[in-house]
Amino acid sequence: MTPEVARAAELLRAGGLVAFPTETVYGLGADASNAAAVARLYAVKRRPPGHPVIVHFDSAERAFAWAREVPEAACKLAARFWPGPLTLILKCSPLAKDFVTGGQDNVGVRVPSHPVAHEMLAAFGGGVAAPSANRFGLVSPTTAAHVREDLGNEVDLVLEGGPSEVGIESTILDLSGDVPTLLRPGHISKQELEQVIGRTIRDKGPIAPAHPGGLERHYAPRTLVKLVPPHALDAEIARLGVKVAVLAFSRPDERVDFWLRMPREPAGYAHKLYGALRELDTSDCDAILVEAPPDAPEWAAVRDRLRRACGEA
Ligand code: TXA
Ligand code: MG
C-alpha cells in the first residue's frame, strides 16, 4: 500500500474528507458510519441535506451487509459487474443510517474497480459515503486537478489516480421495489443489466420511487448549454449571433470561437465529456452548443448527461 493510501484510510477513520479516483468520476469520501463526517461532506459539497449518498465498499460481501434483503438479481449483477461502474439501491440494514439514506428505507451501494479506490476501501475496511467530488450541481470531476479546482483546500487529501476511464457516473439500478428500475443510465447499459437478471427493467418515470438527484439541474456548466440536432449546428450558430463554443463530431462551417471534436462512439465520448464541458465553460463564450449524439440505446447515458447539462433533468 502506498503511504498516501494509508494516510487516506487514517483520515477517513478520524472523520476526515478524502477525494479519491474511481473508474467513473472522482468521489469525495467520508466514513459512512460517522454522522459528523458526512455532515461535513454535505457542507463542503454545498449539497442540500436529506439527499441520499452512495456508499462504497471494497467487496460485495461488505456492501451487502448494509442491505437487509439481497435479491437474487443483486447477487447476479454483483457477480457480473462488481467491481465496476454499477450502483445498486437495496432495502437498507441498520448499518445504513438516515444521514446516508436521506431517511429513505433503502441505500445505494457500489464496489468501484479503480485500483486506488479499491486499495483505500480495503485499508479503511468500512463503507465510504461518496458523492462526486464537485460542488453540488456542477459537472463531476474526472481528474484530481478538477477536484482541486472545485474544492481546493476544503478537503483533507486528494488521492491521485489519473483520468477516470469511464468519465460519467455509475449506472444506478433500484432493486428495492417490486420492479427493477433504472434511476440513472451509465456505461453499463439497461440491456446488459436485463440480460443478466432475465427481467425487464423499467425506466425511471413519474411512478418510480423518489430520487432526489433526478430532480435537480445536475452536471451543468455555468455557461448556457444547448443541444442542437445534427446538421442544424451551422444554422443555430448563425441564428444566435453570439460568441459560441461548440462540442461536435466534426468542424462547423460557420465560424466559432472555440471548438472541440468528440469521438463518434459512446465510450470514448463519455470519457472526454466532462473535461470538454469544463474546458468550454472557461472559454468565455456566451453559449455552448452541443451537436446531439444519435438517438440510439448505446448513447442513452451520454444523452442523459447532455440533457442535464442543458438543465432538462
Ligand atoms: O459513479 C458514481 O456513482 C460516483 C462515484 C464517486 O462513485 N458517485 C456519484 O454520487 O455520482 P452522486 O452523489 O454525485 O450521485 C448519486 C446519485 C444521486 O442522484 C442520489 O440522489 C442517488 O445517487 N442516490 C444515492 N442513494 C440513493 C438512494 N438510496 N435512493 C435513490 N437514489 C439514491
Ligand atoms: Mg454528482
Side-chain angles (χ1 to χ4, degrees):
M1 196 197 313
T2 63
E4 284 76 25
V5 168
R7 184 148 166 262
E10 214 171 279
L11 281 166
L12 289 170
R13 274 191 285 273
L17 298 186
V18 176
F20 62 100
T22 86
E23 68 280 15
T24 57
V25 299
Y26 275 65
L28 179 60
D31 178 353
S33 304
N34 182 332
V38 174
R40 196 180 144 211
L41 175 72
Y42 276 55
V44 166
K45 246 199 94 93
R46 314 269 193 272
R47 191 176 204 174
H51 197 118
V53 67
I54 297 172
V55 188
H56 299 66
F57 300 89
D58 73 330
S59 65
E61 196 188 342
R62 280 196 168 124
F64 286 158
W66 284 54
R68 69 172 184 279
E69 264 172 48
V70 181
E72 197 192 338
C75 295
K76 286 183 176 164
L77 291 170
R80 171 71 180 80
F81 295 113
W82 279 352
L86 174 67
T87 297
L88 297 176
I89 308 290
L90 302 171
K91 286 182 178 143
C92 61
S93 81
L95 287 174
K97 304 285 194 261
D98 279 355
F99 55 83
V100 291
T101 64
Q104 301 187 67
D105 191 35
N106 53 43
V107 64
V109 293
R110 166 161 130 75
V111 179
S113 64
H114 194 293
V116 174
H118 179 81
E119 264 207 329
M120 182 194 80
L121 291 164
F124 176 63
V128 170
S132 48
N134 54 292
R135 289 253 196 261
F136 187 73
L138 296 180
V139 178
S140 295
T142 51
T143 65
H146 292 163
V147 177
R148 283 188 220 102
E149 277 161 29
D150 284 4
L151 303 177
N153 46 15
E154 290 187 66
V155 299
D156 299 307
L157 177 68
V158 181
L159 283 178
E160 179 60 62
S164 294
E165 195 181 330
V166 173
I168 56 173
E169 304 80 357
S170 60
T171 306
I172 304 183
L173 181 67
D174 186 352
L175 291 175
S176 69
D178 296 331
V179 185
T181 305
L182 191 74
L183 298 187
R184 183 170 71 187
H187 180 71
I188 298 172
S189 70
K190 184 171 103 161
Q191 293 71 23
E192 285 177 278
L193 299 173
E194 285 177 333
Q195 233 171 29
V196 170
I197 65 174
R199 285 182 71 183
T200 304
I201 292 171
R202 176 175 64 185
D203 279 305
K204 165 182 68 122
I207 43 159
H211 166 52
L215 301 177
E216 285 125 23
R217 183 166 183 254
H218 252 71
Y219 321 111
R222 293 178 176 88
T223 316
L224 173 86
V225 184
K226 192 163 185 251
L227 263 175
V228 181
H231 316 300
L233 254 185
D234 285 303
E236 188 61 16
I237 294 164
R239 195 186 69 82
L240 281 174
V242 293
K243 259 184 97 172
V244 290
V246 168
L247 201 65
F249 296 107
S250 54
R251 177 182 273 283
D253 293 330
E254 281 288 327
R255 202 189 70 81
V256 292
D257 295 277
F258 207 98
W259 171 68
L260 285 180
R261 163 175 268 149
M262 295 301 279
R264 284 186 187 274
E265 44 79 39
Y269 195 111
H271 174 74
K272 278 187 73 172
L273 177 60
Y274 288 154
L277 285 176
R278 276 173 188 264
E279 204 178 324
L280 295 185
D281 205 17
T282 55
S283 67
D284 201 31
C285 287
D286 302 310
I288 298 172
L289 299 185
V290 181
E291 182 179 7
D295 190 9
E298 64 271 25
W299 285 93
V302 162
R303 280 187 289 116
D304 170 77
R305 300 315 188 276
L306 287 173
R307 275 198 305 272
R308 288 164 189 260
C310 298
E312 312 162 19

